[in-house]
Amino acid sequence: MSEDEKVKYPFAFDGRWALRHQVPYTVEHDGRTYQILATVFAEPSVHGRVRVGCEGRPVGEYDGLTPGAVLEITGDTWRVKAVDYRTRIVLEHVIDDRKEDTRVEHGS
């Protein structure tokens, strides 16, 4: 890796990223700083929410996340592998171009 190259997702290991409940993450992409925050809920059943902001402004929210759901963060596709109540949402980086019907709609 050259000096100019940066790791886009410094918290991801082996293609997986465990977003800890209520722990903010920062991602640098195309010269901008993005903030990612995950929350896990118990009601009506265990599910997660991931909020994405850029330079202090909201740019997307993925709610109702359960295993198998697909979301996009800074142009990369991730699939939810696990949602552990009040602990974490585990994402797996999706490398191929195939999209699944489980895509989660996002809003702001």
Side-chain angles (χ1 to χ4, degrees):
M1 186 181 318
S2 73
E3 288 181 24
D4 294 335
E5 292 181 71
K6 287 186 175 183
V7 175
K8 186 173 184 181
Y9 304 102
F11 303 103
F13 296 99
D14 293 328
R16 289 193 176 191
W17 184 9
L19 294 168
R20 308 275 308 160
H21 174 72
Q22 291 296 306
V23 174
Y25 293 87
T26 301
V27 174
E28 299 293 328
H29 177 66
D30 286 342
R32 300 177 81 182
T33 301
Y34 289 82
Q35 302 80 33
I36 292 86
L37 183 67
T39 307
V40 182
F41 303 95
E43 298 294 331
S45 61
V46 175
H47 68 282
R49 174 187 300 144
V50 173
R51 290 184 173 163
V52 181
C54 183
E55 300 172 354
R57 303 183 86 185
V59 295
E61 180 175 294
Y62 300 90
D63 202 1
L65 298 173
T66 57
V70 176
L71 63 144
E72 186 178 300
I73 299 174
T74 64
D76 294 308
T77 303
W78 297 86
R79 180 176 297 112
V80 177
K81 294 304 287 182
V83 179
D84 300 320
Y85 177 59
R86 298 200 76 173
T87 305
R88 65 189 181 161
I89 299 172
V90 179
L91 303 177
E92 181 176 61
H93 198 203
V94 177
I95 306 273
D96 62 13
D97 292 342
R98 292 179 289 161
K99 304 289 183 201
E100 296 187 10
D101 292 338
T102 55
R103 178 170 281 285
V104 175
E105 295 297 319
H106 70 280
S108 51

